[in-house]
Amino acid sequence: MSFRIQIASLATLVALVSFSIPQQSVAQNSTNPYAIIEGWAKLPGGRVMGAVGKAKVDPDGRHIWAVVRCDAGPDRFGSECADSELDPILKFDPEGNVVESFGSGMFIWPHGIDVDASGNVWVTDAVSDNNIPANDDRGHHVIKFSATGDLLMTLGTPGEQGGGPNHFTSPSDVAIAANGDVFIADGHNANGNNRVVKYNSRGEFLMSWGETGYAPGEFRALHAIAIDPNGRVFVGDRSNSRIQIFDQEGNHAATWTQFGRPSGIAFDNNGRIYVADSESDNVQNPGYEMGIRIGEYETGWVHEFIRFPWANPNILPGNGAEFVTVDSEGNIYGGEPVPNPHINARTLRKYVRVRP
């Protein structure tokens, strides 16, 4: 009897171990179930694709909004829209054609984007202070547009960095809750404000939380913010190589490191989280590879990994998709801002599932 119980216990332990290990191993090593659709995003009038910032699916589940920074010059980074007349906010149809664009002259370095339930488009300008031209009143702000480009609201003080309720310092990203509350990741740099700022739908300051550091509720370069279908606030604490999860009052709920060094975060309506990691390398996050990890937003288990085929952990600070979104059919879109001589970088790349 004792022998049989020991064998049964051993079999149970083996089963548990063999179930658990692949779930975490897939964060690094996986057969990629997606294929890249090259050349999906097409710009009109011979425009060359500039650095692509964040992308976000429209409420219709089919169209994709994206930040496309204006100047496509290979050696320009950080102020691509400062002197451009091009629209940096583009809407793509399911075939990759631009069907709407706006925002010309309103940004220096547009970065984050979200689309609320009413179809309004929110965009952040994460330009560093030293990249703002003299006497320019753009940057360090968040703008709300209608779906056709009408200016509806501005948060922050354009052209002025700072803290407090009315200033940001290089805000990276924005997320709109179901009730219309606005959450802003402030900001892009490891030594910036490093806080989440919350407003109501009328743009009235409600609260903020966070500071520079390594502890729970502290940040170093908030690069992404997103709200899951349960209403939790996910923050891509990139320079700390982790995701931090909060309720909407700023109470810390969990810290996840299994999704790598997060640059972009998205969710679908089927329980999945998608995290773009463009910076895991031999220096900044050794032991992890660059790619898009897909898992469960309830449990944090990572089930699939799209490894960028061109990824090289010796290239700093990395390359590939910094931003990610997913449409209602499960197609993934990755925004790539960093030029890479080995691939067609600076693009909005589409990934289509080819295997269950």
Side-chain angles (χ1 to χ4, degrees):
M1 175 69 72
S2 175
F3 177 78
R4 289 179 180 176
I5 291 174
Q6 290 174 358
I7 292 295
S9 299
L10 179 61
T12 301
L13 177 61
V14 169
L16 288 172
V17 170
S18 58
F19 172 80
S20 299
I21 289 177
Q23 302 299 316
Q24 294 288 33
S25 297
V26 79
Q28 289 299 105
N29 301 295
S30 173
T31 301
N32 183 359
Y34 288 83
I36 294 173
I37 306 299
E38 294 288 2
W40 174 80
K42 299 171 281 292
L43 300 186
R47 176 177 172 179
V48 178
M49 187 75 75
V52 180
K54 186 180 175 183
K56 179 69 177 182
V57 66
D58 188 80
D60 69 8
R62 302 174 64 249
H63 289 77
I64 304 297
W65 290 90
V67 169
V68 179
R69 297 183 195 129
C70 311
D71 193 307
D75 299 322
R76 186 170 182 179
F77 190 77
S79 63
E80 292 96 313
C81 291
D83 51 6
S84 175
E85 296 181 357
L86 294 172
D87 288 333
I89 305 166
L90 278 60
K91 182 181 182 180
F92 295 86
D93 68 16
E95 287 71 48
N97 302 301
V98 175
V99 295
E100 183 64 81
S101 69
F102 49 81
S104 172
M106 302 186 74
F107 301 92
I108 298 176
W109 202 54
H111 193 274
I113 190 171
D114 197 18
V115 185
D116 64 29
S118 298
N120 301 307
V121 181
W122 301 70
V123 181
T124 75
D125 193 329
V127 64
S128 296
D129 211 47
N130 58 2
N131 282 330
I132 300 178
N135 302 316
D136 199 307
D137 61 355
R138 293 173 295 170
H140 305 306
H141 63 297
V142 180
I143 299 179
K144 175 186 179 181
F145 298 93
S146 73
T148 54
D150 297 322
L151 176 61
L152 302 179
M153 183 186 298
T154 299
L155 297 176
T157 304
E160 294 183 12
Q161 70 174 8
N166 299 314
H167 286 82
F168 308 120
T169 298
S170 303
S172 290
D173 202 3
V174 56
I176 313 302
N179 68 350
D181 285 349
V182 182
F183 294 82
I184 295 171
D186 179 32
H188 188 271
N189 305 313
N191 59 351
N193 285 341
N194 284 314
R195 61 176 183 161
V196 175
V197 192
K198 179 182 178 181
Y199 299 84
N200 64 22
S201 61
R202 297 181 298 277
E204 298 166 340
F205 174 81
L206 297 178
M207 64 176 297
S208 67
W209 73 85
E211 60 183 324
T212 302
Y214 304 89
E218 298 177 348
F219 309 100
R220 294 174 60 247
L222 293 80
H223 198 269
I225 191 166
I227 299 174
D228 78 355
N230 294 329
R232 297 178 299 171
V233 180
F234 283 61
V235 177
D237 184 11
R238 187 167 75 174
S239 289
N240 280 331
S241 298
R242 65 189 184 182
I243 292 172
Q244 294 197 62
I245 306 172
F246 303 87
D247 67 19
Q248 294 191 16
E249 300 305 312
N251 298 302
H252 181 267
T255 295
W256 291 353
T257 60
Q258 67 270 33
F259 285 89
R261 190 174 172 89
S263 286
I265 303 171
F267 304 96
D268 65 18
N269 293 319
N270 298 306
R272 288 184 288 264
I273 179 175
Y274 302 75
V275 180
D277 176 356
S278 63
E279 288 199 354
S280 282
D281 51 48
N282 290 339
V283 174
Q284 297 178 110
N285 196 27
Y288 281 79
E289 295 181 277
M290 291 173 278
I292 299 173
R293 293 177 177 85
I294 306 167
E296 302 172 13
Y297 60 71
E298 290 278 8
T299 65
W301 287 113
V302 180
H303 291 295
E304 296 173 330
F305 179 53
I306 302 174
R307 180 186 182 275
F308 300 140
W310 54 85
N312 183 341
N314 297 310
I315 296 176
L316 307 180
N319 50 73
E322 279 195 22
F323 307 92
V324 63
T325 193
V326 57
D327 67 22
S328 59
E329 296 181 353
N331 303 308
I332 298 172
Y333 303 82
E336 301 181 17
V338 180
N340 183 334
H342 305 294
I343 61 169
N344 178 27
R346 287 189 165 174
T347 188
L348 180 59
R349 206 178 297 272
K350 182 178 182 177
Y351 299 80
V352 176
R353 182 177 284 277
V354 292
R355 288 189 302 278

